[in-house]
Amino acid sequence: MAGNGSSRRSFVKFLAATPLLSQIAAHHLYAQATTAMGIKSQPNVFSRLGVKTVINCRGTWTYLSGSLEFPEVRQAQLEASEYFVNMLDLQRAVGRRLAELTGAESGIVTSGSAGAMAAATAACMAGTDDKLIWQLPDTTGMKHEVVMAGGRSAFDSAIRLTGAKLVLARSPEEIVNAINENTAMIYTTDLGEKLQQQVAISKERNVPLLLDDAAGIPPVENAKLYARMGIDMYCFSGGKGLRGPQCSGLLLGRKDLIETALLNSSPREGAVCRPMKVGKEEVIGCLTALETWLKIDEKKLYAEWNTRIDRIRKLVETVPGIATSSYVPDDGNRYPTLTVKWDQQAWGFSISDCVRELRASDPVIEVLGADNPSLVTAVREGNPNAKERKGPDHIELVSMTIKPGEEIIVGQRLRAILGAAQKRAA
């Protein structure tokens, strides 16, 4: 009876995937016909250099070039590219517009969240004094300690390069005890109750707090939420969920601190953050991305994202022994995400094996597995905040970076790879 039940479930799953399998069959016939007639796919700027493009199911990772810009962003950048402008005037005008959109007192466009971290740190140490701005990264005579709530991260070099000294603190008590006359800033990536506690500490001790929520949009409401919470400074990446230029970010918050961050940044010659340049195109593009998000129907967008991963799910579930689930992370990269799991030991086929075969595809298919190809491996050495990770028992596919139609390619490829592995093990 158990065997009959299993067969029945497999039939139901195959039936659910039938419309998608029909699409795949039609696509294959079309591809064969166009090949026979000598019709080839159009080359692009990457293929002409011998670089494979990627079907990105991993999410908005910087090494995979972030996200794809909104069409409105591309158009705004093209228009911006046709004019000269005073960059300081532009940043201050954008700051006024960001204040209107978010409720923050001001804002500037930075070179990603990392650029925002550096500019905010320099601002809290050197202030508006040109002698001190020029002195950095030598912090002699300045407040120069940054309390790292939760400990170190792979991105804290953006703070250290300004000359700041990191002071690690994991609990509210440790944060309080770490604050002294040399404390310039508190840095955090925490959200929810932990963030509320840290905001209260920063207010009580009169120490500016920087929240790094690089992947915090969507939901776009976070841009307004953190202003309502009275957070001194907070930042988002422009090239992740915001879908602005990859080399942009937003630093929002108190007007005095934002102005000071600008004085410690490009285009000011002699400022420690001068190398972290953003052009007029990125400034306008990042602002346009936020404006675009504020007009979007997020429920409709999430429905589209869910539909994409559901199509992949239907295809891979036709392979016996596959288990899937979906969820939306609550700590960044908040997109519908599909998990795909199988018995690695019984199949003799690991997560790494699957990732390797997907990367051998053309175009390359990237999913979230065990590895991080962009990590400086020494980050884990001597870092008390780095945790040893067990190998994952599943792969994940992130909906947001999957272009419409690519889900069929991904589902069929994954179905073929896992189906072959299952048959070898049977």
Side-chain angles (χ1 to χ4, degrees), residues 360-398:
S361 304
D362 190 2
V364 174
I365 298 174
E366 284 278 1
V367 299
L368 193 58
D371 65 339
N372 177 359
S374 61
L375 182 70
V376 175
T377 55
V379 164
R380 302 196 182 281
E381 297 175 7
N383 181 357
N385 202 45
K387 299 177 181 178
E388 288 297 324
R389 293 182 59 194
K390 291 170 56 178
D393 64 354
H394 64 272
I395 59 172
E396 296 189 359
L397 297 94
V398 181

Side-chain angles (χ1 to χ4, degrees), residues 195-206:
L195 175 60
Q196 292 175 348
Q197 292 175 335
Q198 293 160 12
V199 170
I201 292 170
S202 75
K203 300 298 183 189
E204 181 182 338
R205 297 305 178 100
N206 196 30

Side-chain angles (χ1 to χ4, degrees), residues 335-349:
Y335 323 116
T337 300
L338 177 69
T339 70
V340 180
K341 183 178 178 180
W342 61 92
D343 190 330
Q344 298 178 67
Q345 185 172 0
W347 288 23
F349 190 72

